[in-house]
Every structure is written in C-alpha cells, then in structure tokens.
C-alpha cells in the first residue's frame, strides 16, 4: 500500500527532513507513480485532487498479512494485515458479517468523526491484531495512518524534495522516493495530518524524533519513539470539538 500527499495536505513531521544525505535522490510525486507501476505491475492507483494519490497491490501478498481496500463515501482505506477482534467490532458498529477489516476501520472513523466526543487514540486502541493502515477522507482532507503495537506489519514514511508525505509498506519505494529522509513508522502510533503523531498506547506522552549520525557526524536517519519523560499538556474536551474532522482540519484547498 502507498499514499502520497502534497505538503499542504500531508503536513509531515519536519524531523523527517533532518537527514542530510541522499537528498538528490528524492523524486517528484509523478516519479513515484512510475516507480510504483514498475515495481507493482498489478497495482491499482487512486488519483485524488491536486496530484495526490493512493495505491494498492497484491504483489507478494502474504497469507498472514492479507491486504484489503475499501472506497466508500469519498473515504479511501487500505490495510495490510488483519484485525483479531473483527467479529466483536462488527457487532459493536452494527456491520454485517461480510464486512472486511478496512470497512470496520472506516466505520470506526465515521463514528468518531460524526458523533463521538472522545479522542482518536481511544478508537484505535480497540483495534487488536497485526496491521497497518492508511485512511483518507477526501471531503475533509483528513489523513490517518496507524500501525499495530508490536510493529508486526512493515510500514515506512518519508518526505520528498517538495515536502510531500510518502507512506508505504515497501521500503524500496519509500527509500527511492525520499532518499534518506524516511523512517519506520513507529509501532503503536497514529498520525493525523491536523494533530500530528501520537501513541495510542501512551497518548499522554510525546512521541519524539531521535536522529542517527554517521562517522562524519552527519545526520543519516531518524526514528520516532515515545518519550515517557515528557507528558503532553491536557486539553479539556467538550461536545464534539475533539472529533477527528476538527482535529485534522488543514488550511487551504479542500480535496475532492
């Protein structure tokens, strides 16, 4: 699975730009499309507004990590891996037995976006299993990226030369698109383009970027991990002000 969003929508962490090597290898969004089509000949590419897109493929799909895609009500969701409590979640959200894991995630997002006055990490925390997913709501411009607690499913993200956000489960694609400006997506975390990166296991603590240096003292990579010594300030939540749609509002043009 792959997602590429322009800087104004993706709003990637600035720390992804820290590595100072390999910047000349960064690709444009159109270049990345061509890379995907060459490496994933069977891929399905979903073209979005302003040159943004998502893509899915069954290339080298593992039985233990199936892939599922759903597009409904202008919401795109791609998941790699599997939820272990799908049956419970289907009942909770009133979904039919044939609902896929991607459908369950979309419904969880809709409930939180439309009705629930509680933070996103509480819904993501209910997802059990080995998974990584990317969700995009084209109407609101909301992006959600999440990875399971143990990091069992591979997921990487990075930033291109023009500041676009790239997220993919194939390190070859992320590395070629972003050079050294890429990193593993941290396990047990959720990223929203309006509120940033946070841990759904430790939502009260900051997720911090840690740089790595080579022998010459140049930053050659970053990784993100929960800083259990830095507690985030508490924000009172009232009514629906804390829902995903408002948390993820991004200035600028609205995608369609």
């Amino acid at each position: 699975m792959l997602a590429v969003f322009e800087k104004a929508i993706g709003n990637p962490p600035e720390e992804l730009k820290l590595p100072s090597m390999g910047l000349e290898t960064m690709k444009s969004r159109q270049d990345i499309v061509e890379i995907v089509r060459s490496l994933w000949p069977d891929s399905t590419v979903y073209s979005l507004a302003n040159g943004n897109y998502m893509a899915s493929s069954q290339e080298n799909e593992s039985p233990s990590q199936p892939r599922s895609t759903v597009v409904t009500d202008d919401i795109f969701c791609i998941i790699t891996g599997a939820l272990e409590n799908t049956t419970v979640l289907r009942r909770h959200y009133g979904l039919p037995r044939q609902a896929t894991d991607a459908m369950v995630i979309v419904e969880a997002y809709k409930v939180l976006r439309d009705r629930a006055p509680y933070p996103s990490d509480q819904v993501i925390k209910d997802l059990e299993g080995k998974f990584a997913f990317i969700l995009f709501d084209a109407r609101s411009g909301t992006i959600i990226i999440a990875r399971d607690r143990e990091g069992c499913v591979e997921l990487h993200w990075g930033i291109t030369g023009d500041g676009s956000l790239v997220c993919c489960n194939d390190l070859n694609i992320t590395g070629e698109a972003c050079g050294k400006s890429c990193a593993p997506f941290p396990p047990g975390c959720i990223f929203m383009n309006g509120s940033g990166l946070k841990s759904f296991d430790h939502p009260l603590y900051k997720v911090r970027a840690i740089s790595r240096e080579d022998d010459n003292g140049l930053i050659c990579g970053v990784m993100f991990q929960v800083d259990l010594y830095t507690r985030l300030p508490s924000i009172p939540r009232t009514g629906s002000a804390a829902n995903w749609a408002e948390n993820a509002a991004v200035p600028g043009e609205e995608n369609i």
Side-chain angles (χ1 to χ4, degrees):
M1 62 181 176
L2 168 76
V4 181
F5 296 101
E6 63 178 330
K7 182 178 181 179
I9 295 295
N11 197 25
E14 289 296 315
E15 293 90 343
L16 285 172
K17 294 194 300 186
L18 286 175
S20 54
M21 295 175 57
L23 300 180
E24 69 281 354
T25 65
M26 291 180 174
K27 308 294 183 181
S28 69
R29 279 178 282 162
Q30 188 55 45
D31 290 336
I32 300 170
V33 171
E34 299 308 318
I35 294 170
V36 168
R37 286 176 172 154
S38 65
L39 294 178
W40 300 346
D42 69 337
S43 62
T44 300
V45 177
Y46 302 93
S47 297
L48 309 168
N50 302 324
N52 303 307
Y53 59 88
M54 297 173 68
S56 62
S57 170
Q58 305 307 119
E59 188 82 15
N60 299 321
E61 181 177 7
S62 166
S64 63
Q65 294 186 2
R67 298 166 190 165
S68 173
T69 303
V70 65
V71 181
T72 179
D73 298 329
D74 291 326
I75 300 172
F76 299 76
C77 181
I78 305 174
I79 178 174
T80 296
L83 302 179
E84 296 175 353
N85 59 336
T86 306
T87 301
V88 173
L89 294 173
R90 284 178 187 144
R91 287 199 300 265
H92 178 74
Y93 292 113
L95 295 172
R97 292 178 59 186
Q98 63 269 29
T100 64
D101 287 350
M103 293 177 182
V104 169
I105 291 170
V106 168
E107 190 62 25
Y109 163 71
K110 284 182 175 181
V111 167
L112 190 59
R113 178 196 66 185
D114 298 339
R115 299 191 291 274
Y118 43 81
S120 57
D121 58 85
Q122 293 304 307
V123 168
I124 298 298
K125 201 171 184 177
D126 290 338
L127 304 182
E128 299 175 3
K130 302 174 181 179
F131 64 86
F133 73 81
I134 305 169
L135 181 147
F136 177 63
D137 184 340
R139 294 181 184 176
S140 67
T142 302
I143 300 168
I144 299 113
I145 304 169
R147 189 181 184 196
D148 70 79
R149 295 167 176 81
E150 304 300 324
C152 297
V153 175
E154 185 175 5
L155 188 64
H156 305 269
W157 61 343
I159 189 170
T160 66
D162 65 1
S164 296
L165 171 66
V166 177
C167 190
C168 186
N169 64 324
D170 188 330
L171 180 57
N172 293 325
I173 291 177
T174 313
E176 190 164 351
C178 306
K180 294 293 183 179
S181 293
C182 64
F185 190 88
C189 288
I190 176 173
F191 171 79
M192 295 175 56
N193 55 335
S195 55
L197 182 66
K198 69 186 302 185
S199 166
F200 56 79
D201 267 348
H202 304 283
L204 299 180
Y205 294 90
K206 183 179 179 63
V207 179
R208 188 180 299 279
I210 300 174
S211 61
R212 293 184 288 107
E213 296 183 354
D214 63 15
D215 294 339
N216 297 316
L218 298 175
I219 297 176
C220 61
V222 296
M223 62 179 294
F224 296 84
Q225 67 179 36
V226 179
D227 180 357
L228 295 178
Y229 295 97
T230 306
R231 192 178 177 93
L232 295 172
S234 178
I235 301 175
R237 304 176 187 276
T238 59
S240 60
N243 67 32
W244 272 357
E246 292 184 17
N247 275 345
V250 176
E253 274 188 64
E254 179 180 302
N255 274 5
I256 57 172

